[in-house]
Amino acid sequence: MAKKRNIIVGQSGGPTSVINSSLAGVYKNAIERGFDKVYGMLHGIQGLLDEQYIDLSTQIHSELDIELLKRTPSAFLGSCRFKLPEIHEDKAIYEKIFEILNRLDIDAFIYIGGNDSMDTIKKLSDYAILTGQKQKFLGVPKTIDNDLWGTDMTFGFQSAVDIATQTIDCIHTTAASHNRVFIVELMGHKVGWVTLHAGIAGGADIILIPEIPYDLKHVISAIQRRNEQGKHFTILAVAEGAISKEDAKLTKKQYKAKLAKRKHSTVGYELASQIEKATGLEVRVTIPGHTQRGGSPVPFDRVISSRLGVAAAELIAKEDYGKMLIMKGYDVATLPLEKTAGKLKYVSPDDQIVLQAKHLGISFGD
Ligand code: F6P
């Protein structure tokens, strides 16, 4: 009798519009490769701890169901933002997780998520090795931020850039009828890839991202220069984590305290108030927010998400574990979990794309 082999899959972190294509890829290929059961954690590791999981064969009955799953935006299994403690900080939580995994006779644990998710499976993998558990682990990178170190692309990113760019495009059409400044504040607390790409694609005049702290005086003079050239509107693409040069010099604690006292709810509104005061121009703020994680995924993301899901199932079939799947250019490859777990891939001021944006006449306020 062939050895019974079961998989459990979870989704975590900020879902993207295409996160289920990889889930569909894993499920379809695992069943085709003879796995007995594919369980889905409901709401990631946090749900698993509450014994919230389903046998996916009770939900997915046909090829059509798989096709529909691929196109269902947002996380079919629900998501969570739960960072596992270090093993030495709370061994009991690991004992509980592995008690459940052993009760379900799980051989492979696949987690679809961003940095915190890769950190989670690195910790679980370390615990399994330390305590001789049979479970093996694989990470499938997903985040709209494209900030996972080690992979050239994460699925969800292009779809988010598409929505962010459409927002800037729509602002363009109304901006021309007013002598105003428009701020489009986009997602990206720590990393500015979405804002950088959407800003260039949407023709923003100024792009402010967390990795390139801005000097307000330079932002103001860029706006005034445009006015002097007879261009009576300016569009700024601003990442929600954009920061001034002076604030970038503060410690994390000092900056957090300053934010707590900030009069305006976001950096976009703070900048709007400062620009109005300095220039006398009217400023309007648009924040597409979580719409950047929804909607219909762009074809590029559907393709890489499905490919990563298939590749995950192939690795499991070959029992090639302890890795995160990555995109190297347009090819799927792998990286050992310990190399990437939790590391961020930042924009560098020296990146070719930043220098080329500057040659396009875009100001980064630096
Ligand atoms: O990590 C993806 C992301 O969308 C970030 O770009 C954004 O800052 C964050 O999640 C928002 O988190 P939440 O959905 O918990 O508000």
Side-chain angles (χ1 to χ4, degrees):
M1 166 105 145
K3 174 177 168 301
K4 198 166 88 103
R5 289 190 302 164
N6 298 328
I7 291 180
I8 192 160
V9 193
Q11 296 171 316
S12 112
T16 78
S17 57
V18 72
I19 188 168
N20 295 321
S21 296
S22 44
L23 172 63
V26 169
Y27 178 78
K28 183 169 174 1
N29 282 275
I31 295 301
E32 281 173 1
R33 292 169 186 281
F35 281 83
D36 291 275
K37 284 197 182 305
V38 182
Y39 291 98
M41 279 173 254
L42 299 179
H43 297 290
I45 194 78
Q46 206 164 21
L48 183 67
L49 279 162
D50 296 336
E51 311 248 0
Q52 301 292 312
Y53 49 78
I54 51 169
D55 174 347
L56 284 174
S57 66
T58 63
Q59 310 290 316
I60 304 172
H61 304 291
S62 66
E63 280 299 317
L64 176 63
D65 287 345
I66 289 191
E67 282 314 306
L68 289 174
L69 175 58
K70 277 184 183 174
R71 283 154 181 68
T72 314
S74 205
F76 174 73
L77 297 176
S79 185
C80 73
R81 284 200 183 281
F82 181 77
K83 203 164 166 69
L84 270 182
E86 295 299 334
I87 296 171
H88 67 271
E89 289 170 339
D90 183 349
K91 213 158 171 269
I93 205 168
Y94 289 86
E95 286 160 0
K96 178 159 189 199
I97 290 169
F98 281 87
E99 187 278 320
I100 297 167
L101 295 178
N102 287 320
R103 190 163 8 105
L104 295 174
D105 194 16
I106 297 298
D107 297 274
F109 183 117
I110 300 181
Y111 216 33
I112 304 168
N115 293 79
D116 288 348
S117 312
M118 297 307 117
D119 177 63
T120 292
I121 52 172
K122 171 74 175 62
K123 287 170 179 166
L124 291 173
S125 177
D126 289 347
Y127 181 86
I129 293 164
L130 276 171
T131 57
Q133 309 288 334
K134 70 170 184 175
Q135 286 77 15
K136 306 291 182 192
F137 297 84
L138 269 184
V140 181
K142 166 283 316 160
T143 171
I144 70 156
D145 294 317
N146 194 25
D147 61 355
L148 253 173
W149 187 89
T151 180
D152 291 342
M153 191 63 69
T154 55
F155 62 77
F157 171 64
Q158 293 296 349
S159 300
V161 170
D162 187 51
I163 289 171
T165 303
Q166 285 176 44
T167 304
I168 297 174
D169 287 349
C170 291
I171 292 296
H172 250 292
T173 50
T174 177
S177 50
H178 301 272
N179 180 3
R180 279 176 173 165
V181 175
F182 289 84
I183 293 174
V184 179
E185 183 183 303
L186 301 170
M187 279 192 155
H189 261 309
K190 298 181 189 131
V191 178
W193 293 110
V194 172
T195 304
L196 176 59
H197 283 254
I200 295 171
D205 307 298
I206 298 170
I207 294 176
L208 303 180
I209 58 175
E211 300 94 325
I212 304 179
Y214 61 84
D215 180 330
L216 183 62
K217 290 191 296 299
H218 295 172
V219 174
I220 303 298
S221 50
I223 294 169
Q224 287 167 335
R225 245 192 333 273
R226 279 183 56 81
N227 268 8
E228 285 148 19
Q229 293 161 359
K231 298 168 185 166
H232 290 302
F233 69 89
T234 299
I235 295 177
L236 292 86
V238 178
E240 60 188 329
I243 188 169
S244 65
K245 284 185 191 290
E246 51 272 11
D247 285 352
K249 291 182 193 126
L250 300 174
T251 65
K252 263 194 186 158
K253 196 160 166 262
Q254 289 168 331
Y255 186 52
K256 211 169 166 191
K258 185 172 179 183
L259 283 182
K261 287 189 293 217
R262 182 164 76 179
K263 204 164 64 150
H264 302 280
S265 54
T266 73
V267 64
Y269 285 102
E270 172 96 357
L271 272 166
S273 155
Q274 292 168 328
I275 293 168
E276 275 179 347
K277 215 180 302 175
T279 64
L281 292 168
E282 279 190 307
V283 185
R284 294 290 184 270
V285 179
T286 301
I287 305 182
H290 287 66
T291 62
Q292 295 162 89
R293 294 203 320 224
S296 174
V298 297
F300 180 87
D301 275 348
R302 294 182 205 180
V303 171
I304 63 168
S305 171
S306 303
R307 289 176 60 196
L308 288 166
V310 168
E314 282 167 353
L315 288 178
I316 290 174
K318 290 188 295 190
E319 304 199 355
D320 184 4
Y321 297 112
K323 296 176 173 171
M324 177 179 97
L325 286 150
I326 60 172
M327 293 306 293
K328 262 288 159 258
Y330 287 114
D331 294 330
V332 176
T334 61
L335 203 60
L337 277 175
E338 60 272 11
K339 282 204 185 291
T340 177
K343 275 161 66 176
L344 287 176
K345 179 182 69 185
Y346 294 99
V347 177
S348 160
D350 306 321
D351 278 342
Q352 191 189 70
I353 183 173
V354 173
L355 302 175
Q356 288 161 341
K358 288 187 173 180
H359 286 307
L360 284 169
I362 295 171
S363 163
F364 283 76
D366 56 349

